[in-house]
Amino acid sequence: MADQQELDDFFAHAKAALDLPADTYEDAYQLGGAKFADKLAALVKTGKKTATSSGFELYTIEQDPLPSAGVYNIILNRADKPVALTFTDNVFVTPFMKVTADIAKREGEDDQSLASWREVHQAFFSREYQANGIQFDPESSMVVVEEFHTVYPVVQTR
C-alpha cells in the first residue's frame, strides 16, 4: 500500500511546479496490476500511454465508482511509489469489441495494434473476471476507457 505522506508530497511538488488549480488528486493506483505496473507507469511517465481500460462489470462487483473526467490521479509503480501525475480528459464505456485502433494505440503497449490490444486485454480481463467469480465474454463484456495526459513530470515533446 502506498504511503499517504509520500503521495501527498508528490502531489504537492507537482502542484508547486505547475501551479495546478486542484487542491487534491482523486486516486493513486497501479496500472495492470503488480506484474505490469512498472512497464505501464514508465509508458505514462514518458507520455507514450495516454489511455487505459478496465472491465466495467468489475466496478459493479467491487462497488467502486467509475473513474471521472476532469481529475488528477497518481500512477504508481510496482513498489507503490508515485511515478506520474495524470489529468483525466475523458471517460466512456464501450463494448470490448468496439474499442478502436486509436484507443489501442493510445494505450501504448506492445506494437500498439488493435489485434495486440485485444489479445492482451482479453487474457487480462479473463483473469480479473475469473478472480471475481464471473466470466469475461469479449462479445458482450463492456470496458471503461479513460483518456488522460501526463502533467507531471512534464513530458518532453519533440
Side-chain angles (χ1 to χ4, degrees):
M1 167 125 347
D3 176 78
Q4 189 61 50
Q5 187 60 54
E6 187 173 14
L7 297 175
D8 292 343
D9 289 348
F10 181 83
F11 185 75
H13 288 310
K15 186 176 176 181
L18 302 172
D19 195 27
L20 297 177
D23 291 328
T24 189
Y25 52 92
E26 183 174 81
D27 202 0
Y29 54 87
Q30 293 178 352
L31 294 169
K35 183 175 180 182
F36 302 105
D38 286 344
K39 175 183 174 186
L40 298 179
L43 292 172
V44 170
K45 185 176 180 177
T46 62
K48 187 173 181 182
K49 181 172 181 64
T50 61
T52 194
S53 54
S54 51
F56 175 76
E57 291 84 0
L58 297 175
Y59 287 92
T60 303
I61 288 174
E62 296 171 2
Q63 298 183 340
D64 285 338
L66 289 178
S68 304
V71 298
Y72 294 94
N73 290 291
I74 297 174
I75 305 303
L76 305 172
N77 65 13
R78 184 180 185 150
D80 281 333
K81 301 294 182 192
V83 172
L85 181 70
T86 62
F87 183 82
T88 304
D89 300 302
N90 187 33
V91 177
F92 62 93
V93 179
T94 190
F96 178 84
M97 295 304 291
K98 297 265 183 181
V99 168
T100 65
D102 178 60
I103 293 300
K105 182 176 181 177
R106 292 187 64 197
E107 288 229 15
E109 301 166 42
D110 299 319
D111 68 1
Q112 300 178 316
S113 71
L114 182 56
S116 174
W117 182 92
R118 284 185 178 156
E119 181 181 334
V120 168
H121 284 79
Q122 183 172 340
F124 177 76
F125 290 147
S126 292
R127 287 190 304 273
E128 292 293 306
Y129 278 53
Q130 185 176 22
N132 283 278
I134 60 174
Q135 185 168 348
F136 177 78
D137 178 4
E139 296 300 323
S140 63
S141 293
M142 306 291 282
V143 296
V144 179
V145 177
E146 297 173 66
E147 299 173 306
F148 58 85
H149 65 278
T150 302
V151 295
Y152 185 82
V154 176
V155 175
Q156 302 298 319
T157 57
R158 293 179 194 159

